[in-house]
């Protein structure tokens, strides 16, 4: 067995043959390391699985990530806000994002910045051409990571609504065009009749 192999190995070496030490070492390597490592791995996996399903741990993890994100964005805001007025202007934004180090830092946060102007428009939800700390924190939190299924579903729904509205507008334009053509034809016919009578 795993715990009491030395007495058995010693007995075999002394009474049968010293070459059986190879068998004893092989037994210890195979069962002692391989099997116990597998058993340890299964226990660890089950422990992590239970920990991931624990509500308190999940809440704590989310809260920790949220606080870390807030702290990092606050540090970035302080770095970018050169005039220390607690508001980022578009010029300050472009200046700080021209630094390669900052682009790499944002990429590490899960935000790839290929177009600073587009990102500015997305983050500036108030439309006042200024970013405060809260806009930066909330905007970057929304954009981090991969698109969620819910976000894609909402985008798909909005696109379908827009497509339906566009089709209705096109139908209305076609109807107005037909009515205008009929009115013009009627006016032309009346004008021709009046000209012939005169």
């Amino acid at each position: 067995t795993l715990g009491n192999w030395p007495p058995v190995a010693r007995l075999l070496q002394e009474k049968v043959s010293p070459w059986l030490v190879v068998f004893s070492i092989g037994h210890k390597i195979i069962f002692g390391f391989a099997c116990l490592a597998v058993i340890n791995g299964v226990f660890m996996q089950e422990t992590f699985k239970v920990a991931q399903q624990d509500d308190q741990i999940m809440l704590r993890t989310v809260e920790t990530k949220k606080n870390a994100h807030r702290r990092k964005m606050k540090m970035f805001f302080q770095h970018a806000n050169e005039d220390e007025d607690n508001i980022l202007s578009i010029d300050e934004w472009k200046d700080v994002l021209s630094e390669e180090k900052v682009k790499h830092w944002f990429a590490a946060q899960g935000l790839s910045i290929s177009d600073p102007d587009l990102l500015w428009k997305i983050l500036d939800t108030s439309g006042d051409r200024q970013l405060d700390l809260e806009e930066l924190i909330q905007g970057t939190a929304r954009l981090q990571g991969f698109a969620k299924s819910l976000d894609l579903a909402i985008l798909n729904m909005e696109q379908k609504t827009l497509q339906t509205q566009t089709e209705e507008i096109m139908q209305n334009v076609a109807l107005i065009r037909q009515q205008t053509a009929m009115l013009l034809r009627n006016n032309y016919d009346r004008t021709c009749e009046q000209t012939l009578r005169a």
Side-chain angles (χ1 to χ4, degrees):
T1 59
L2 297 175
N4 58 359
W5 68 274
V8 174
R10 185 172 187 164
L11 182 68
L12 286 172
Q13 290 170 36
E14 289 175 354
K15 301 290 182 184
V16 180
S17 169
W19 287 100
L20 288 176
V21 73
V22 175
F23 171 76
S24 301
I25 292 172
H27 174 271
K28 179 60 181 167
I29 289 172
I30 292 170
F31 288 100
F33 295 125
C35 291
L36 284 179
V38 169
I39 293 169
N40 265 347
V42 170
F43 279 129
M44 293 298 284
Q45 183 181 12
E46 290 302 313
T47 303
F48 284 131
K49 194 184 294 181
V50 169
Q52 285 176 344
Q53 293 174 352
D54 187 301
D55 289 340
Q56 291 298 324
I57 293 174
M58 284 192 298
L59 288 172
R60 211 173 307 128
T61 303
V62 169
E63 191 64 30
T64 303
K65 285 182 182 177
K66 192 175 174 182
N67 289 337
H69 173 71
R70 176 174 281 281
R71 191 174 56 255
K72 289 175 183 177
M73 287 302 126
K74 191 172 182 180
M75 285 172 30
F76 167 76
F77 190 84
Q78 290 169 348
H79 171 72
N81 189 16
E82 294 171 353
D83 54 8
E84 298 180 6
D85 60 351
N86 292 329
I87 292 173
L88 278 184
S89 67
I90 185 79
D91 294 329
E92 289 173 326
W93 176 258
K94 286 180 180 178
D95 286 345
V96 76
L97 286 182
S98 65
E99 301 172 22
E100 281 300 313
K101 182 180 170 185
V102 172
K103 286 183 181 179
H104 293 310
W105 183 81
F106 263 108
Q109 306 304 313
L111 281 167
S112 178
I113 300 179
S114 55
D115 187 354
D117 292 329
L118 178 61
L119 184 59
W120 172 269
K121 288 176 186 173
I122 292 170
L123 294 177
D124 184 20
T125 53
S126 62
D128 59 359
R129 297 190 51 80
Q130 295 178 334
L131 273 184
D132 61 17
L133 181 59
E134 284 306 311
E135 277 181 314
L136 179 68
I137 291 170
Q138 291 172 8
T140 52
R142 274 194 325 269
L143 296 174
Q144 280 183 326
F146 300 105
K148 299 180 183 92
S149 298
L150 179 62
D151 296 334
L152 293 175
I154 291 170
L155 187 63
N156 190 25
M157 182 188 69
E158 289 174 351
Q159 189 269 336
K160 285 181 181 177
T161 304
L162 187 61
Q163 185 177 1
T164 305
Q165 291 172 347
T166 305
E167 288 171 0
E168 288 174 6
I169 290 170
M170 294 298 289
Q171 289 172 355
N172 290 338
V173 166
L175 185 62
I176 291 170
R177 188 178 286 162
Q178 287 175 351
Q179 290 173 348
T180 305
M182 277 184 13
L183 285 173
L184 288 172
R185 192 172 299 131
N186 288 342
N187 273 345
Y188 178 74
D189 290 344
R190 272 190 235 141
T191 306
C192 287
E193 282 178 19
Q194 289 172 357
T195 305
L196 289 174
R197 285 180 191 166

